[in-house]
Amino acid sequence: RRVHGCDYVGTLNCRDLGTDNALGRLDAICQLMRARGVGLLAVQETKRKQSDRLDETVGLRYYGSATHRTDHGRRTGGTGFLVSRALLDCFSYLGPRPGRTHVLPDTKYAAQWGHLYGCDKEHDVWIASVYLPASSAVAAAPGLYARALADLGADLDHYAAKPGVIMLAGDWNARVGHACLETMRPQHRAVAPRFGEDTVSASGVH
């Protein structure tokens, strides 16, 4: 806040910002960010073309990966950041780490990275917008979630060697239950949230 004048970084699965009513959704997101003091929003499922320019009237700019078509022709994906006008001079979009550092052959589930400059290097923030495989994708390709996590781990090793703070935000497609859930294993209960769904998925305890 001292450096950039905003209080928070947030995250949101947008579901779709690539349709004809995207401007209305963007305006609602912009108002929400202003009301909550959020200057940088890690977003997933934007379903936008990478070359799209967001309307400047909403005061936000999108940096991130492009949507792609599934085998059935549906648009999916699009992970990145919505950056407020006030932070444009303080933020650099880095994109995904090089493919040679990853296990998965494509960048569909690769984290999108950004660099938010602090008052000095020790206060810099290396932030990742994360979108990990959903249960349907994991069912169709066993081991996919583990490989995506391994790629994220390789990213963390790279940025951990730099001065500053690492922040991970996004949609992990994991059901982690809550600490009061009777079926929760003791080793997971210690790190489970106090409140949440009554569901624990395989990805949630990976």
Side-chain angles (χ1 to χ4, degrees), residues 6 32 62 120:
C6 67
L32 178 63
Y62 173 68
D120 54 48

Side-chain angles (χ1 to χ4, degrees), residues 94-163:
L94 306 175
R97 291 274 296 137
R100 65 179 181 275
T101 68
H102 288 170
V103 177
L104 291 175
D106 57 47
T107 60
K108 179 178 180 180
Y109 298 111
Q112 301 293 314
W113 286 88
H115 185 190
L116 185 61
Y117 299 97
C119 54
D120 54 48
K121 289 184 177 180
E122 296 301 323
H123 291 87
D124 283 359
V125 178
W126 307 93
I127 181 169
S129 183
V130 179
Y131 183 73
L132 294 185
S135 57
S136 57
V138 173
L144 178 61
Y145 201 90
R147 294 194 294 273
L149 279 180
D151 289 348
L152 182 59
D155 290 359
L156 290 173
D157 289 340
H158 172 78
Y159 287 106
K162 299 179 179 294

Side-chain angles (χ1 to χ4, degrees), residues 1-7 86-87 90-91 116-119 123:
R1 182 177 188 180
R2 182 176 66 252
V3 179
H4 304 302
C6 67
D7 291 312
L87 290 188
C90 310
F91 176 80
L116 185 61
Y117 299 97
C119 54
H123 291 87

